[in-house]
Amino acid sequence: MEYTLRIKRYNPEKDVKPHFEEYKVTADAKDRVLDVLNQIKWDEDGSLTYRRSCAHGICGSDAMRINGRNRLACKLLMKDLPSKITIEPLLGFKVVKDLVVDMNKFFDAYKSVQPYLIADEHSGAGERRQSPAQREQFEDTTKCILCAACTTACPVTWTSDDFVGPAAIVNAHRFIFDSRDQGASQRLRVLNSGSGVWRCRTIFNCTDACPRGIEVTRAIEEVKRALLYEQV
Amino acid sequence: MAYHRFDAVIVGAGGAGLMAAIQMAGKANVAVVSKLYPPRSHTGAAQGGISAALGNVEEDHWRWHMFDTVKGGDYLVDQDAAAVLAREAIDAVYELEHMGLPFNRTPDGRIDQRRFGGHTRNYGEGPVRRACYAADRTGHMIIQTLYQQGIKNQLNFFDEHHLMDVLFSEDGQCCGVVTMEMSTGEIHVIHAKMVLIATGGYGRVWSVTSNAIAGTGDGVAITYRRGVPVMDMEFYQFHPTGLYRLGILLSEAARGEGGILRNKDGEAFCARYAPTLKDLAPRDMISRFIHQEIMAGRGINGEDYVHLDLTHLPPELIDEKLPDVTDFARTYLDVEPKTEGVPVQPTAHYAMGGLPTNIDGQVIQDRDATPVPGLYSAGESACVSVHGANRLGTNSLVDLVVFGRRAGKHMLASLEHAEWAPLPPEPEYVAQASIDRLLSAPKSGKGERISDIRSTMQKVMMADVSVERSETSLLRAEETIRQLQGAYTYASVMDKSKVFNTDLTEALELGCLLDCAEATIHGALARQESRGAHYRSDFTTRDDKNWLAHSLVYKTSGGLELAKKPVTITEFEPKERKY
């Protein structure tokens, strides 16, 4: 099938501002968008730049804005797209080149919620006990691959510099609701601050954008409820 | 150019690299270099589990695990290393749990365990539940947990730095690396007392692979160019259940939970070849069974794939224990595993070979196991050898945690008395020259384009150096790779910019892949026997008299040289492998 791709290009060594370039390609319905980007890069224009690695939706490298929605290029098939496709870098972060954005702000926000188990040294032999039901409390948020699709789909992050964003809250949730963790209060302090969960307007863009199917908005609501009712 | 000085530099931030770095955190000044962001590393793609004889759901012993590893590897495994692997796996899994890894749990709150190919009770009597797991994203949980620990320990990450060179002082001590920072194109020289190569595998040599696009063997190839040998490269694992045409991995856990492979007649054919373990025989065998079914015209619709059948499993078990596997089938093939067979074929998956090391991760340079001063390797880039001729499922994760940790501990201990070796003059020279050549050469004509060279290599390796090889096919591949290496010296890239030049890095990666392919073919031609994943149609049986030995391949100015290194046998005498 024939497709026309409009791709937002920006080379900081040449361009004053970004511009769109158009590519006409023939692709199979079962091709991934990433396959088509590779086809353009390998056959036509080697300078087209994007991140990618695993090519099956688990490494989180190739989140980008495809026809206005944040998607992983390796998890979206051509058959699910119209014949005219617009591809842009994620919104809200500085563009490094073409579809590659500067991820520093994203990882800084992630680090701010102390995304690691905080617990006393385990003294006994063997594992800490955790029931299947306790584990189920945070199962959903362990799936995060840090692709930034949710955070850069959130209008609040587009307009404010200091909101930690949905991905950081998801990763805080993963530990706050882990029965083994003892760091909930310090994380909740971060998320109760001006840059925390109260900036969320419950728009559900994050949930819609998540390529892992995480119920991001629900996780944010659970953190809000924990703050209001101290139910952890 | 930027210059840095660290006690140690770790190249590759997957499971092995991070595990090593965590051992040294706070006690030594360590740089961690990754060409991606660490959580994007391919460890995250591992699905099914990490084995350890915890005995949480049924009786198990680490010696059984050791035996399975040795037998699964068709007796090419170094048994001292296999003992370390199986024994320390237990402690390593507990350590991961203490770091926060969210394993699935038994009803009484212990780490749950499930069956996996080639893992047995009581030395081969039947399958055992040994694989600890977190749904079917165990690798994802490992990489996330280790990255979390890296942040907690404030490791010095050099994210998105592409490895360009490994440096040696004039007297042969490894003393650092050269990298290119992707976001600026700037060259960095990192001077260090020791270097750990943990750059993973090179599945992108083949056209159908489960490996990430980043799986290009950079660390192995660059070190090999510097005269360090590679070991057992002819042993490359094809995983039986890659998604048809795409090669995306469908975990062995699918069969561990009861999935069955069927040919076009609906026959569960594995039972015919391996009556005891059936669909849970080791991967090399299952891949060969599939290959033989296809060759005999019993592929689905006469084509080159078979069906992975999960339709008889309870739907809730599929949802709970195999969510990602089934999601892949739905997303990429539009197949519903609860009601129809999933088309699968063998996919290039894992390098048993790599940089030879001892059990402390030190890279060794000859049959006497003499260490290369200052140089370490762990994980898939290394060959200890715990996988021998064929790796058992889950043992890759065990390998990277156990030997990443051992390497890190050994490096930390060695730092106490390690001296700074001087950098070679103009340390950036080789790196800069390779960049300059690719950027300045005239635009390539047809046939010298990077993408053409790469796809020709991938096709010939798939056709001639995969599940089955012969002298004829290997010679054909050897000749093609030689021609492609010639063409590569004239190839150039279209993108001439400095900032985030992935056209350039893909070209550099292709150079590494060609070197890995060359060494693989060289080893495969020399080894005139069939063992594990290396199946020669012209030498169909194992030959312990001549080939119960590791192969070492050296790249010298006079061409490739091959040497043999003895296998360490401590407890289990080689026997015929039956399942």
Side-chain angles (χ1 to χ4, degrees):
Chain A
M1 208 179 133
E2 305 288 320
Y3 295 91
T4 304
L5 274 75
R6 285 174 73 238
I7 303 178
K8 203 171 204 179
R9 304 290 309 266
Y10 172 67
N11 177 348
E13 292 166 62
K14 285 200 297 214
D15 302 330
V16 181
K17 57 179 190 175
H19 62 280
F20 280 98
E21 275 180 38
E22 226 174 71
Y23 302 88
K24 294 206 185 306
V25 294
T26 308
D28 194 87
K30 278 189 178 169
D31 280 343
R32 298 162 277 201
V33 172
L34 178 62
D35 295 318
V36 174
L37 291 174
N38 285 340
Q39 190 184 321
I40 295 170
K41 183 175 182 68
W42 295 343
D43 294 348
E44 197 176 333
D45 184 352
S47 71
L48 179 63
T49 304
Y50 44 92
R51 292 187 176 101
R52 82 285 175 277
S53 187
C54 78
H56 64 288
I58 49 107
C59 83
S61 295
D62 62 354
M64 54 188 72
R65 202 169 150 83
I66 302 173
N67 281 355
R69 298 171 83 181
N70 286 356
R71 292 291 180 260
L72 297 181
C74 63
K75 229 190 155 178
L76 182 60
L77 303 193
M78 297 305 281
K79 71 178 168 66
D80 298 320
L81 287 168
S83 62
K84 285 195 184 340
I85 300 164
T86 301
I87 303 182
E88 301 160 274
L90 296 173
L91 288 179
F93 293 156
K94 184 173 160 272
V95 177
V96 176
K97 184 176 176 179
D98 293 348
L99 304 173
V100 173
V101 296
D102 185 337
M103 297 289 286
N104 283 328
K105 207 173 115 181
F106 177 79
F107 280 103
D108 286 347
Y110 168 72
K111 288 170 195 165
S112 76
V113 301
Q114 297 173 283
Y116 41 80
L117 191 78
I118 298 173
D120 297 335
E121 282 289 311
H122 182 62
S123 52
E127 67 268 63
R128 292 185 181 86
R129 298 296 181 99
Q130 181 171 59
S131 72
Q134 286 173 324
R135 186 187 179 280
E136 189 55 33
Q137 298 292 309
F138 65 103
E139 151 76 11
D140 197 37
T141 44
T142 64
K143 296 190 295 199
C144 176
I145 55 175
L146 301 171
C147 70
C150 60
T151 293
T152 57
C154 174
V156 181
T157 61
W158 299 339
T159 52
S160 80
D161 261 345
D162 60 342
F163 177 41
V164 293
I169 303 172
V170 161
N171 282 280
H173 178 283
R174 179 251 171 274
F175 289 102
I176 291 169
F177 292 91
D178 185 335
S179 59
R180 301 168 296 175
D181 186 83
Q182 296 158 355
S185 60
Q186 55 222 74
R187 287 191 197 93
L188 287 171
R189 209 173 307 131
V190 175
L191 295 179
N192 202 20
S193 73
S195 59
V197 289
W198 305 115
R199 304 290 287 276
C200 165
R201 291 288 174 270
T202 326
I203 302 162
F204 284 90
N205 273 19
C206 48
T207 301
D208 175 64
C210 180
R212 301 289 287 156
I214 301 171
E215 294 183 79
V216 183
T217 313
R218 180 197 178 103
I220 297 172
E221 290 304 303
E222 286 178 0
V223 172
K224 286 178 183 171
R225 236 171 280 141
L227 280 167
L228 285 176
Y229 308 115
E230 293 177 357
Q231 285 177 347
V232 179
Chain B
M1 194 182 80
Y3 173 83
H4 314 266
R5 215 166 133 108
F6 285 89
D7 290 330
V9 56
I10 288 170
V11 188
L18 289 177
M19 199 69 192
I22 289 165
Q23 310 308 311
M24 291 186 271
K27 299 172 191 139
N29 199 12
V30 182
V32 181
V33 173
S34 171
K35 67 177 174 179
L36 309 168
Y37 280 94
R40 319 253 186 257
S41 305
H42 203 55
T43 298
Q47 297 169 2
I50 174 167
S51 280
L54 307 183
N56 278 0
V57 285
E58 61 182 312
E59 183 184 0
D60 200 5
H61 302 282
W62 70 260
R63 264 209 169 70
W64 295 357
H65 185 186
M66 174 191 172
F67 170 77
D68 291 336
T69 300
V70 171
K71 181 180 173 189
D74 220 349
Y75 294 90
L76 194 72
V77 172
D78 286 316
Q79 296 186 12
D80 55 338
V84 169
L85 178 95
R87 201 174 54 226
E88 296 190 8
I90 297 167
D91 194 37
V93 163
Y94 289 141
E95 187 171 338
L96 289 173
E97 195 281 330
H98 297 168
M99 287 177 180
L101 199 142
F103 285 107
N104 277 45
R105 301 286 174 156
T106 61
D108 65 344
R110 293 180 175 275
I111 295 170
D112 198 10
Q113 299 187 273
R114 65 177 165 204
R115 291 173 173 172
F116 238 81
H119 290 277
T120 71
R121 69 186 139 76
N122 204 17
Y123 308 103
E125 272 179 13
V128 72
R129 294 177 201 277
R130 183 179 292 147
C132 311
Y133 65 100
D136 53 359
R137 39 180 175 270
T138 312
H140 164 77
M141 298 301 195
I142 289 179
I143 195 71
Q144 293 289 328
T145 301
L146 294 177
Y147 184 54
Q148 291 155 5
Q149 291 297 309
I151 288 170
K152 181 182 175 187
N153 287 294
Q154 301 180 317
L155 293 176
N156 299 295
F157 286 114
F158 285 65
D159 294 333
E160 299 195 317
H161 275 244
H162 197 90
L163 178 67
M164 298 297 303
D165 202 4
V166 177
L167 299 171
F168 290 86
S169 66
E170 279 172 358
D171 61 355
Q173 176 169 341
C174 189
C175 60
V177 298
V178 181
T179 70
M180 180 176 69
E181 186 178 4
M182 292 300 297
S183 63
T184 59
E186 187 180 19
I187 294 291
H188 292 248
V189 172
I190 307 178
H191 188 187
K193 289 180 182 169
M194 41 195 74
V195 173
L196 173 76
I197 302 291
T199 52
Y202 43 88
R204 287 280 153 180
V205 160
W206 288 270
S207 57
V208 177
T209 178
S210 65
N211 281 199
I213 300 175
T216 53
D218 304 1
V220 172
I222 288 169
T223 312
Y224 165 68
R225 283 176 203 156
R226 286 289 185 181
V228 175
V230 286
M231 188 162 94
D232 292 344
M233 296 289 278
E234 61 272 32
F235 296 104
Y236 194 90
Q237 178 169 83
F238 281 75
H239 192 291
T241 56
L243 219 49
Y244 183 47
R245 287 209 178 105
L246 292 162
I248 294 169
L249 177 68
L250 296 186
S251 171
E252 198 166 302
R255 282 172 287 132
E257 297 291 354
I260 294 170
L261 291 168
R262 296 187 189 279
N263 61 21
K264 70 168 184 177
D265 304 322
E267 184 201 1
F269 57 86
C270 291
R272 186 163 18 96
Y273 297 94
T276 308
L277 286 190
K278 303 184 180 82
D279 291 85
L280 288 176
R283 290 174 179 172
D284 61 321
M285 299 177 110
I286 305 266
S287 285
R288 217 146 44 234
F289 303 160
I290 295 174
H291 183 73
Q292 285 171 15
E293 289 300 297
I294 289 168
M295 288 295 126
R298 290 193 290 271
I300 307 294
N301 300 326
E303 295 201 47
D304 53 343
Y305 66 93
V306 295
H307 273 155
L308 173 63
D309 179 13
L310 306 176
T311 56
H312 54 288
L313 301 181
E316 58 279 6
L317 179 137
I318 292 180
D319 290 338
E320 187 197 340
K321 296 196 167 166
L322 303 168
D324 278 10
V325 164
T326 44
D327 185 44
F328 294 144
R330 287 181 199 122
T331 303
Y332 296 109
L333 293 186
D334 214 2
V335 165
E336 175 47 63
K338 287 178 184 169
T339 55
E340 51 192 330
V342 183
V344 294
Q345 70 182 155
T347 180
H349 184 57
Y350 186 87
M352 272 73 75
L355 297 167
T357 71
N358 60 24
I359 56 170
D360 290 313
Q362 293 179 286
V363 174
I364 56 179
Q365 53 186 306
D366 52 32
R367 57 170 289 131
D368 302 323
T370 315
V372 179
L375 183 62
Y376 290 75
S377 185
E380 191 176 345
S381 59
C383 181
V384 186
S385 158
V386 287
H387 308 307
N390 170 63
R391 173 174 71 73
L392 288 190
T394 74
N395 269 357
S396 57
L397 294 177
V398 186
D399 177 4
L400 57 81
V401 177
V402 166
F403 290 99
R405 189 168 69 158
R406 288 185 72 95
K409 285 190 196 302
H410 196 271
M411 289 170 82
L412 185 63
S414 307
L415 274 172
E416 274 181 33
H417 45 85
E419 300 289 329
W420 284 98
L423 286 171
E426 291 189 81
E428 77 289 5
Y429 179 80
V430 170
Q432 193 62 56
S434 60
I435 293 173
D436 291 347
R437 189 189 68 69
L438 284 162
L439 290 184
S440 65
K443 202 174 172 202
S444 300
K446 185 103 179 112
E448 290 167 11
R449 232 165 42 170
I450 294 298
S451 57
D452 291 337
I453 297 173
R454 186 174 52 219
S455 78
T456 307
M457 169 194 70
Q458 289 171 336
K459 279 183 199 139
V460 74
M461 292 298 287
M462 201 69 203
D464 290 339
V465 198
S466 60
V467 176
E468 191 177 312
R469 313 88 194 258
S470 67
E471 183 169 90
T472 317
S473 78
L474 289 165
L475 287 173
R476 192 164 52 217
E478 186 183 49
E479 177 56 27
T480 307
I481 297 298
R482 197 174 293 140
Q483 285 169 7
L484 294 175
Q485 284 173 322
Y488 180 75
T489 60
Y490 295 102
S492 71
V493 299
M494 288 183 248
D495 188 349
K496 310 291 184 191
S497 66
K498 283 183 104 52
V499 172
F500 223 95
N501 190 338
T502 52
D503 204 20
L504 174 63
T505 49
E506 284 190 5
L508 294 164
E509 290 170 330
L510 174 61
C512 294
L513 288 171
L514 286 167
D515 283 342
C516 291
E518 159 196 283
T520 302
I521 296 167
H522 196 74
L525 263 172
R527 186 176 291 273
Q528 296 186 332
E529 66 158 352
S530 287
R531 182 188 298 271
H534 173 69
Y535 182 79
R536 289 274 304 248
S537 57
D538 46 353
F539 297 91
T540 56
T541 53
R542 202 173 80 190
D543 176 4
D544 284 346
K545 193 161 154 276
N546 294 303
W547 283 106
L548 186 56
H550 301 292
S551 66
L552 294 172
V553 177
Y554 295 81
K555 195 175 180 75
T556 74
S557 52
L560 303 189
E561 285 176 13
L562 188 116
K564 288 185 190 176
K565 181 175 172 294
V567 174
T568 306
I569 293 168
T570 57
E571 292 185 38
F572 305 112
E573 280 305 313
K575 280 195 223 156
E576 193 193 345
R577 211 167 46 131
K578 280 188 183 157
Y579 288 94

